Amino acid sequence: MVNLTRIYTRTGDDGTTALGDNGRTSKTDARLAAYADTDEANSVIGVATACGNLPVEVQETLARIQNDLFDVGADLCMPLRSSYEWEPLRVRAEWVTELEADCDRYNADLPSLRSFILPGGTPGAALLHQARTVARRAERSTWQALETYGDQPAGDGAGKGEGGVNPLTATYLNRLSDLLFILARVAAKVGDGDVLWTPGGGREQRDPQAT
């Protein structure tokens, strides 16, 4: 159970923060950056659901994803170990399968794309595009953490804060960004649909030698 009785603790005033195993790490640590960016993605999704006038089905899908993202963050802040006193939350392969099923289901009702899309169209579409870009950043940060710490568990004799990163966290965030792109298109249908990219911004193509 989570029991938050105080919000400020002053323990991070030295530039460090606690990991899930009570080890401490720098606030610039790659592992911390990964779950901080994941938290930001969750927050942007929250703005989209609160302000985006999204279809009820989309809101329900995003509510599940917001809970998942808390679990992704919990996974990222807990270094992999060969054994634990209590089994931690870990992202599972079936969560990725759920996202793929969502992608297929929502994409089936959308028209084929013949250009790239500009973020915008409706508030919901714009906010979901923003969430998509933050999810991509969270994925990149997670890959940076994987490059730094690897994906292998630390042995029983390892100190706190030691151990790899679950690679399924990166896979989940990758698939999530795909789904958020699709959901942004769904949200755009409330208005006039996708805002398509026009190469050159629609400017007339002129001969530079012409006068």
PDB file of all heavy atoms in Angstrom, residues 39-74:
ATOM      1  N   ASP A  39       6.707   9.703 -16.687  1.00  0.00           N
ATOM      2  CA  ASP A  39       5.756  10.460 -15.879  1.00  0.00           C
ATOM      3  C   ASP A  39       5.217  11.646 -16.663  1.00  0.00           C
ATOM      4  O   ASP A  39       4.014  11.963 -16.609  1.00  0.00           O
ATOM      5  CB  ASP A  39       6.447  10.919 -14.594  1.00  0.00           C
ATOM      6  CG  ASP A  39       5.520  11.644 -13.640  1.00  0.00           C
ATOM      7  OD1 ASP A  39       4.317  11.320 -13.597  1.00  0.00           O
ATOM      8  OD2 ASP A  39       6.000  12.527 -12.906  1.00  0.00           O
ATOM      9  N   GLU A  40       6.081  12.316 -17.411  1.00  0.00           N
ATOM     10  CA  GLU A  40       5.633  13.450 -18.218  1.00  0.00           C
ATOM     11  C   GLU A  40       4.647  12.999 -19.300  1.00  0.00           C
ATOM     12  O   GLU A  40       3.627  13.668 -19.553  1.00  0.00           O
ATOM     13  CB  GLU A  40       6.826  14.157 -18.851  1.00  0.00           C
ATOM     14  CG  GLU A  40       6.442  15.418 -19.598  1.00  0.00           C
ATOM     15  CD  GLU A  40       7.626  16.147 -20.217  1.00  0.00           C
ATOM     16  OE1 GLU A  40       8.780  15.790 -19.907  1.00  0.00           O
ATOM     17  OE2 GLU A  40       7.387  17.085 -21.011  1.00  0.00           O
ATOM     18  N   ALA A  41       4.930  11.878 -19.941  1.00  0.00           N
ATOM     19  CA  ALA A  41       4.001  11.347 -20.942  1.00  0.00           C
ATOM     20  C   ALA A  41       2.637  11.078 -20.314  1.00  0.00           C
ATOM     21  O   ALA A  41       1.591  11.393 -20.899  1.00  0.00           O
ATOM     22  CB  ALA A  41       4.568  10.067 -21.558  1.00  0.00           C
ATOM     23  N   ASN A  42       2.632  10.505 -19.123  1.00  0.00           N
ATOM     24  CA  ASN A  42       1.388  10.236 -18.410  1.00  0.00           C
ATOM     25  C   ASN A  42       0.630  11.528 -18.144  1.00  0.00           C
ATOM     26  O   ASN A  42      -0.593  11.606 -18.302  1.00  0.00           O
ATOM     27  CB  ASN A  42       1.707   9.511 -17.094  1.00  0.00           C
ATOM     28  CG  ASN A  42       0.538   8.724 -16.556  1.00  0.00           C
ATOM     29  OD1 ASN A  42      -0.600   8.919 -16.955  1.00  0.00           O
ATOM     30  ND2 ASN A  42       0.815   7.822 -15.632  1.00  0.00           N
ATOM     31  N   SER A  43       1.360  12.575 -17.758  1.00  0.00           N
ATOM     32  CA  SER A  43       0.731  13.857 -17.451  1.00  0.00           C
ATOM     33  C   SER A  43       0.099  14.486 -18.689  1.00  0.00           C
ATOM     34  O   SER A  43      -1.008  15.037 -18.620  1.00  0.00           O
ATOM     35  CB  SER A  43       1.763  14.813 -16.846  1.00  0.00           C
ATOM     36  OG  SER A  43       2.265  14.313 -15.628  1.00  0.00           O
ATOM     37  N   VAL A  44       0.771  14.396 -19.831  1.00  0.00           N
ATOM     38  CA  VAL A  44       0.215  14.961 -21.058  1.00  0.00           C
ATOM     39  C   VAL A  44      -1.036  14.186 -21.477  1.00  0.00           C
ATOM     40  O   VAL A  44      -2.022  14.773 -21.941  1.00  0.00           O
ATOM     41  CB  VAL A  44       1.266  14.976 -22.177  1.00  0.00           C
ATOM     42  CG1 VAL A  44       0.668  15.531 -23.469  1.00  0.00           C
ATOM     43  CG2 VAL A  44       2.472  15.811 -21.778  1.00  0.00           C
ATOM     44  N   ILE A  45      -1.023  12.879 -21.309  1.00  0.00           N
ATOM     45  CA  ILE A  45      -2.225  12.085 -21.595  1.00  0.00           C
ATOM     46  C   ILE A  45      -3.361  12.537 -20.681  1.00  0.00           C
ATOM     47  O   ILE A  45      -4.527  12.631 -21.104  1.00  0.00           O
ATOM     48  CB  ILE A  45      -1.936  10.587 -21.428  1.00  0.00           C
ATOM     49  CG1 ILE A  45      -1.001  10.102 -22.537  1.00  0.00           C
ATOM     50  CG2 ILE A  45      -3.232   9.772 -21.448  1.00  0.00           C
ATOM     51  CD1 ILE A  45      -0.514   8.682 -22.364  1.00  0.00           C
ATOM     52  N   GLY A  46      -3.040  12.831 -19.421  1.00  0.00           N
ATOM     53  CA  GLY A  46      -4.062  13.318 -18.505  1.00  0.00           C
ATOM     54  C   GLY A  46      -4.677  14.622 -18.973  1.00  0.00           C
ATOM     55  O   GLY A  46      -5.895  14.820 -18.876  1.00  0.00           O
ATOM     56  N   VAL A  47      -3.859  15.537 -19.499  1.00  0.00           N
ATOM     57  CA  VAL A  47      -4.381  16.794 -20.045  1.00  0.00           C
ATOM     58  C   VAL A  47      -5.285  16.502 -21.245  1.00  0.00           C
ATOM     59  O   VAL A  47      -6.355  17.098 -21.401  1.00  0.00           O
ATOM     60  CB  VAL A  47      -3.234  17.740 -20.438  1.00  0.00           C
ATOM     61  CG1 VAL A  47      -3.780  19.001 -21.106  1.00  0.00           C
ATOM     62  CG2 VAL A  47      -2.406  18.126 -19.221  1.00  0.00           C
ATOM     63  N   ALA A  48      -4.869  15.566 -22.101  1.00  0.00           N
ATOM     64  CA  ALA A  48      -5.665  15.219 -23.280  1.00  0.00           C
ATOM     65  C   ALA A  48      -7.034  14.680 -22.887  1.00  0.00           C
ATOM     66  O   ALA A  48      -8.059  15.038 -23.487  1.00  0.00           O
ATOM     67  CB  ALA A  48      -4.918  14.204 -24.141  1.00  0.00           C
ATOM     68  N   THR A  49      -7.083  13.829 -21.874  1.00  0.00           N
ATOM     69  CA  THR A  49      -8.368  13.258 -21.463  1.00  0.00           C
ATOM     70  C   THR A  49      -9.244  14.296 -20.767  1.00  0.00           C
ATOM     71  O   THR A  49     -10.466  14.260 -20.874  1.00  0.00           O
ATOM     72  CB  THR A  49      -8.166  12.048 -20.535  1.00  0.00           C
ATOM     73  OG1 THR A  49      -7.408  12.443 -19.390  1.00  0.00           O
ATOM     74  CG2 THR A  49      -7.440  10.929 -21.252  1.00  0.00           C
ATOM     75  N   ALA A  50      -8.622  15.245 -20.071  1.00  0.00           N
ATOM     76  CA  ALA A  50      -9.392  16.257 -19.353  1.00  0.00           C
ATOM     77  C   ALA A  50      -9.887  17.372 -20.270  1.00  0.00           C
ATOM     78  O   ALA A  50     -10.959  17.940 -20.024  1.00  0.00           O
ATOM     79  CB  ALA A  50      -8.540  16.860 -18.229  1.00  0.00           C
ATOM     80  N   CYS A  51      -9.129  17.693 -21.307  1.00  0.00           N
ATOM     81  CA  CYS A  51      -9.405  18.891 -22.104  1.00  0.00           C
ATOM     82  C   CYS A  51      -9.662  18.610 -23.581  1.00  0.00           C
ATOM     83  O   CYS A  51      -9.947  19.553 -24.331  1.00  0.00           O
ATOM     84  CB  CYS A  51      -8.233  19.870 -22.001  1.00  0.00           C
ATOM     85  SG  CYS A  51      -7.760  20.316 -20.319  1.00  0.00           S
ATOM     86  N   GLY A  52      -9.537  17.373 -24.010  1.00  0.00           N
ATOM     87  CA  GLY A  52      -9.527  17.100 -25.442  1.00  0.00           C
ATOM     88  C   GLY A  52     -10.840  16.713 -26.071  1.00  0.00           C
ATOM     89  O   GLY A  52     -10.894  16.450 -27.275  1.00  0.00           O
ATOM     90  N   ASN A  53     -11.925  16.635 -25.287  1.00  0.00           N
ATOM     91  CA  ASN A  53     -13.223  16.231 -25.838  1.00  0.00           C
ATOM     92  C   ASN A  53     -13.098  14.940 -26.643  1.00  0.00           C
ATOM     93  O   ASN A  53     -13.552  14.841 -27.792  1.00  0.00           O
ATOM     94  CB  ASN A  53     -13.807  17.348 -26.715  1.00  0.00           C
ATOM     95  CG  ASN A  53     -15.258  17.101 -27.101  1.00  0.00           C
ATOM     96  OD1 ASN A  53     -15.995  16.445 -26.354  1.00  0.00           O
ATOM     97  ND2 ASN A  53     -15.674  17.605 -28.246  1.00  0.00           N
ATOM     98  N   LEU A  54     -12.492  13.942 -26.025  1.00  0.00           N
ATOM     99  CA  LEU A  54     -12.220  12.678 -26.705  1.00  0.00           C
ATOM    100  C   LEU A  54     -13.413  11.733 -26.615  1.00  0.00           C
ATOM    101  O   LEU A  54     -14.175  11.773 -25.644  1.00  0.00           O
ATOM    102  CB  LEU A  54     -10.990  12.013 -26.079  1.00  0.00           C
ATOM    103  CG  LEU A  54      -9.688  12.806 -26.127  1.00  0.00           C
ATOM    104  CD1 LEU A  54      -8.609  12.094 -25.332  1.00  0.00           C
ATOM    105  CD2 LEU A  54      -9.237  13.037 -27.558  1.00  0.00           C
ATOM    106  N   PRO A  55     -13.569  10.850 -27.597  1.00  0.00           N
ATOM    107  CA  PRO A  55     -14.625   9.836 -27.514  1.00  0.00           C
ATOM    108  C   PRO A  55     -14.463   8.991 -26.246  1.00  0.00           C
ATOM    109  O   PRO A  55     -13.337   8.761 -25.774  1.00  0.00           O
ATOM    110  CB  PRO A  55     -14.399   8.991 -28.775  1.00  0.00           C
ATOM    111  CG  PRO A  55     -13.684   9.905 -29.721  1.00  0.00           C
ATOM    112  CD  PRO A  55     -12.815  10.780 -28.870  1.00  0.00           C
ATOM    113  N   VAL A  56     -15.578   8.528 -25.708  1.00  0.00           N
ATOM    114  CA  VAL A  56     -15.561   7.780 -24.443  1.00  0.00           C
ATOM    115  C   VAL A  56     -14.669   6.553 -24.542  1.00  0.00           C
ATOM    116  O   VAL A  56     -13.890   6.247 -23.622  1.00  0.00           O
ATOM    117  CB  VAL A  56     -16.997   7.374 -24.038  1.00  0.00           C
ATOM    118  CG1 VAL A  56     -16.971   6.429 -22.836  1.00  0.00           C
ATOM    119  CG2 VAL A  56     -17.825   8.610 -23.726  1.00  0.00           C
ATOM    120  N   GLU A  57     -14.727   5.840 -25.663  1.00  0.00           N
ATOM    121  CA  GLU A  57     -13.915   4.632 -25.817  1.00  0.00           C
ATOM    122  C   GLU A  57     -12.424   4.973 -25.752  1.00  0.00           C
ATOM    123  O   GLU A  57     -11.631   4.251 -25.141  1.00  0.00           O
ATOM    124  CB  GLU A  57     -14.234   3.948 -27.142  1.00  0.00           C
ATOM    125  CG  GLU A  57     -13.486   2.632 -27.339  1.00  0.00           C
ATOM    126  CD  GLU A  57     -13.797   1.980 -28.672  1.00  0.00           C
ATOM    127  OE1 GLU A  57     -14.332   2.662 -29.571  1.00  0.00           O
ATOM    128  OE2 GLU A  57     -13.470   0.786 -28.826  1.00  0.00           O
ATOM    129  N   VAL A  58     -12.040   6.091 -26.361  1.00  0.00           N
ATOM    130  CA  VAL A  58     -10.644   6.516 -26.324  1.00  0.00           C
ATOM    131  C   VAL A  58     -10.247   6.878 -24.899  1.00  0.00           C
ATOM    132  O   VAL A  58      -9.155   6.522 -24.426  1.00  0.00           O
ATOM    133  CB  VAL A  58     -10.408   7.697 -27.279  1.00  0.00           C
ATOM    134  CG1 VAL A  58      -9.003   8.273 -27.103  1.00  0.00           C
ATOM    135  CG2 VAL A  58     -10.619   7.258 -28.729  1.00  0.00           C
ATOM    136  N   GLN A  59     -11.125   7.581 -24.179  1.00  0.00           N
ATOM    137  CA  GLN A  59     -10.823   7.926 -22.793  1.00  0.00           C
ATOM    138  C   GLN A  59     -10.610   6.674 -21.944  1.00  0.00           C
ATOM    139  O   GLN A  59      -9.726   6.633 -21.081  1.00  0.00           O
ATOM    140  CB  GLN A  59     -11.960   8.764 -22.208  1.00  0.00           C
ATOM    141  CG  GLN A  59     -12.075  10.152 -22.821  1.00  0.00           C
ATOM    142  CD  GLN A  59     -13.106  11.004 -22.107  1.00  0.00           C
ATOM    143  OE1 GLN A  59     -13.141  11.058 -20.881  1.00  0.00           O
ATOM    144  NE2 GLN A  59     -13.966  11.645 -22.878  1.00  0.00           N
ATOM    145  N   GLU A  60     -11.430   5.651 -22.172  1.00  0.00           N
ATOM    146  CA  GLU A  60     -11.286   4.409 -21.403  1.00  0.00           C
ATOM    147  C   GLU A  60      -9.959   3.731 -21.717  1.00  0.00           C
ATOM    148  O   GLU A  60      -9.285   3.203 -20.817  1.00  0.00           O
ATOM    149  CB  GLU A  60     -12.463   3.477 -21.710  1.00  0.00           C
ATOM    150  CG  GLU A  60     -13.793   3.993 -21.158  1.00  0.00           C
ATOM    151  CD  GLU A  60     -14.979   3.158 -21.617  1.00  0.00           C
ATOM    152  OE1 GLU A  60     -14.802   2.316 -22.538  1.00  0.00           O
ATOM    153  OE2 GLU A  60     -16.084   3.345 -21.059  1.00  0.00           O
ATOM    154  N   THR A  61      -9.566   3.725 -22.985  1.00  0.00           N
ATOM    155  CA  THR A  61      -8.269   3.144 -23.361  1.00  0.00           C
ATOM    156  C   THR A  61      -7.131   3.909 -22.698  1.00  0.00           C
ATOM    157  O   THR A  61      -6.191   3.317 -22.152  1.00  0.00           O
ATOM    158  CB  THR A  61      -8.099   3.167 -24.890  1.00  0.00           C
ATOM    159  OG1 THR A  61      -9.131   2.376 -25.495  1.00  0.00           O
ATOM    160  CG2 THR A  61      -6.739   2.620 -25.300  1.00  0.00           C
ATOM    161  N   LEU A  62      -7.231   5.241 -22.706  1.00  0.00           N
ATOM    162  CA  LEU A  62      -6.168   6.057 -22.118  1.00  0.00           C
ATOM    163  C   LEU A  62      -6.118   5.921 -20.606  1.00  0.00           C
ATOM    164  O   LEU A  62      -5.036   6.019 -20.007  1.00  0.00           O
ATOM    165  CB  LEU A  62      -6.370   7.520 -22.519  1.00  0.00           C
ATOM    166  CG  LEU A  62      -6.128   7.827 -24.005  1.00  0.00           C
ATOM    167  CD1 LEU A  62      -6.523   9.265 -24.308  1.00  0.00           C
ATOM    168  CD2 LEU A  62      -4.680   7.571 -24.396  1.00  0.00           C
ATOM    169  N   ALA A  63      -7.271   5.692 -19.964  1.00  0.00           N
ATOM    170  CA  ALA A  63      -7.276   5.482 -18.513  1.00  0.00           C
ATOM    171  C   ALA A  63      -6.484   4.225 -18.157  1.00  0.00           C
ATOM    172  O   ALA A  63      -5.712   4.212 -17.179  1.00  0.00           O
ATOM    173  CB  ALA A  63      -8.706   5.374 -17.999  1.00  0.00           C
ATOM    174  N   ARG A  64      -6.637   3.164 -18.943  1.00  0.00           N
ATOM    175  CA  ARG A  64      -5.845   1.949 -18.719  1.00  0.00           C
ATOM    176  C   ARG A  64      -4.364   2.232 -18.931  1.00  0.00           C
ATOM    177  O   ARG A  64      -3.509   1.802 -18.139  1.00  0.00           O
ATOM    178  CB  ARG A  64      -6.298   0.851 -19.688  1.00  0.00           C
ATOM    179  CG  ARG A  64      -5.664  -0.511 -19.435  1.00  0.00           C
ATOM    180  CD  ARG A  64      -5.829  -1.447 -20.600  1.00  0.00           C
ATOM    181  NE  ARG A  64      -4.854  -1.206 -21.652  1.00  0.00           N
ATOM    182  CZ  ARG A  64      -5.137  -1.131 -22.958  1.00  0.00           C
ATOM    183  NH1 ARG A  64      -6.373  -1.263 -23.391  1.00  0.00           N
ATOM    184  NH2 ARG A  64      -4.173  -0.913 -23.851  1.00  0.00           N
ATOM    185  N   ILE A  65      -4.055   2.990 -19.973  1.00  0.00           N
ATOM    186  CA  ILE A  65      -2.658   3.297 -20.286  1.00  0.00           C
ATOM    187  C   ILE A  65      -2.034   4.136 -19.184  1.00  0.00           C
ATOM    188  O   ILE A  65      -0.861   3.932 -18.815  1.00  0.00           O
ATOM    189  CB  ILE A  65      -2.575   4.000 -21.651  1.00  0.00           C
ATOM    190  CG1 ILE A  65      -2.852   2.980 -22.766  1.00  0.00           C
ATOM    191  CG2 ILE A  65      -1.224   4.673 -21.854  1.00  0.00           C
ATOM    192  CD1 ILE A  65      -3.089   3.593 -24.122  1.00  0.00           C
ATOM    193  N   GLN A  66      -2.769   5.087 -18.621  1.00  0.00           N
ATOM    194  CA  GLN A  66      -2.218   5.902 -17.543  1.00  0.00           C
ATOM    195  C   GLN A  66      -1.843   5.038 -16.344  1.00  0.00           C
ATOM    196  O   GLN A  66      -0.805   5.267 -15.710  1.00  0.00           O
ATOM    197  CB  GLN A  66      -3.211   6.988 -17.132  1.00  0.00           C
ATOM    198  CG  GLN A  66      -3.267   8.151 -18.109  1.00  0.00           C
ATOM    199  CD  GLN A  66      -3.960   9.361 -17.516  1.00  0.00           C
ATOM    200  OE1 GLN A  66      -5.187   9.425 -17.497  1.00  0.00           O
ATOM    201  NE2 GLN A  66      -3.181  10.311 -17.037  1.00  0.00           N
ATOM    202  N   ASN A  67      -2.663   4.062 -16.025  1.00  0.00           N
ATOM    203  CA  ASN A  67      -2.299   3.133 -14.955  1.00  0.00           C
ATOM    204  C   ASN A  67      -1.070   2.329 -15.335  1.00  0.00           C
ATOM    205  O   ASN A  67      -0.168   2.122 -14.507  1.00  0.00           O
ATOM    206  CB  ASN A  67      -3.479   2.201 -14.647  1.00  0.00           C
ATOM    207  CG  ASN A  67      -4.489   2.823 -13.717  1.00  0.00           C
ATOM    208  OD1 ASN A  67      -4.298   2.862 -12.504  1.00  0.00           O
ATOM    209  ND2 ASN A  67      -5.564   3.335 -14.271  1.00  0.00           N
ATOM    210  N   ASP A  68      -1.013   1.880 -16.594  1.00  0.00           N
ATOM    211  CA  ASP A  68       0.158   1.129 -17.061  1.00  0.00           C
ATOM    212  C   ASP A  68       1.433   1.962 -16.931  1.00  0.00           C
ATOM    213  O   ASP A  68       2.488   1.456 -16.541  1.00  0.00           O
ATOM    214  CB  ASP A  68      -0.014   0.728 -18.531  1.00  0.00           C
ATOM    215  CG  ASP A  68      -0.943  -0.455 -18.728  1.00  0.00           C
ATOM    216  OD1 ASP A  68      -1.383  -1.050 -17.724  1.00  0.00           O
ATOM    217  OD2 ASP A  68      -1.234  -0.780 -19.901  1.00  0.00           O
ATOM    218  N   LEU A  69       1.344   3.250 -17.283  1.00  0.00           N
ATOM    219  CA  LEU A  69       2.537   4.089 -17.255  1.00  0.00           C
ATOM    220  C   LEU A  69       3.069   4.274 -15.841  1.00  0.00           C
ATOM    221  O   LEU A  69       4.284   4.407 -15.647  1.00  0.00           O
ATOM    222  CB  LEU A  69       2.241   5.450 -17.908  1.00  0.00           C
ATOM    223  CG  LEU A  69       2.165   5.422 -19.436  1.00  0.00           C
ATOM    224  CD1 LEU A  69       1.731   6.789 -19.971  1.00  0.00           C
ATOM    225  CD2 LEU A  69       3.490   5.004 -20.059  1.00  0.00           C
ATOM    226  N   PHE A  70       2.182   4.272 -14.852  1.00  0.00           N
ATOM    227  CA  PHE A  70       2.669   4.287 -13.477  1.00  0.00           C
ATOM    228  C   PHE A  70       3.468   3.022 -13.196  1.00  0.00           C
ATOM    229  O   PHE A  70       4.510   3.056 -12.519  1.00  0.00           O
ATOM    230  CB  PHE A  70       1.498   4.415 -12.498  1.00  0.00           C
ATOM    231  CG  PHE A  70       1.607   5.603 -11.590  1.00  0.00           C
ATOM    232  CD1 PHE A  70       1.011   6.809 -11.913  1.00  0.00           C
ATOM    233  CD2 PHE A  70       2.334   5.534 -10.410  1.00  0.00           C
ATOM    234  CE1 PHE A  70       1.125   7.913 -11.092  1.00  0.00           C
ATOM    235  CE2 PHE A  70       2.456   6.625  -9.568  1.00  0.00           C
ATOM    236  CZ  PHE A  70       1.850   7.827  -9.920  1.00  0.00           C
ATOM    237  N   ASP A  71       2.982   1.897 -13.729  1.00  0.00           N
ATOM    238  CA  ASP A  71       3.696   0.633 -13.544  1.00  0.00           C
ATOM    239  C   ASP A  71       5.019   0.630 -14.309  1.00  0.00           C
ATOM    240  O   ASP A  71       6.016   0.077 -13.840  1.00  0.00           O
ATOM    241  CB  ASP A  71       2.823  -0.539 -14.005  1.00  0.00           C
ATOM    242  CG  ASP A  71       1.594  -0.735 -13.137  1.00  0.00           C
ATOM    243  OD1 ASP A  71       1.557  -0.183 -12.022  1.00  0.00           O
ATOM    244  OD2 ASP A  71       0.651  -1.425 -13.583  1.00  0.00           O
ATOM    245  N   VAL A  72       5.026   1.240 -15.508  1.00  0.00           N
ATOM    246  CA  VAL A  72       6.281   1.354 -16.256  1.00  0.00           C
ATOM    247  C   VAL A  72       7.301   2.137 -15.438  1.00  0.00           C
ATOM    248  O   VAL A  72       8.475   1.753 -15.321  1.00  0.00           O
ATOM    249  CB  VAL A  72       6.051   2.033 -17.621  1.00  0.00           C
ATOM    250  CG1 VAL A  72       7.385   2.306 -18.317  1.00  0.00           C
ATOM    251  CG2 VAL A  72       5.172   1.172 -18.518  1.00  0.00           C
ATOM    252  N   GLY A  73       6.860   3.249 -14.839  1.00  0.00           N
ATOM    253  CA  GLY A  73       7.759   4.033 -14.003  1.00  0.00           C
ATOM    254  C   GLY A  73       8.260   3.254 -12.803  1.00  0.00           C
ATOM    255  O   GLY A  73       9.437   3.333 -12.438  1.00  0.00           O
ATOM    256  N   ALA A  74       7.352   2.472 -12.190  1.00  0.00           N
ATOM    257  CA  ALA A  74       7.756   1.647 -11.051  1.00  0.00           C
ATOM    258  C   ALA A  74       8.787   0.609 -11.463  1.00  0.00           C
ATOM    259  O   ALA A  74       9.738   0.321 -10.724  1.00  0.00           O
ATOM    260  CB  ALA A  74       6.525   0.963 -10.451  1.00  0.00           C
TER     261      ALA A  74
END
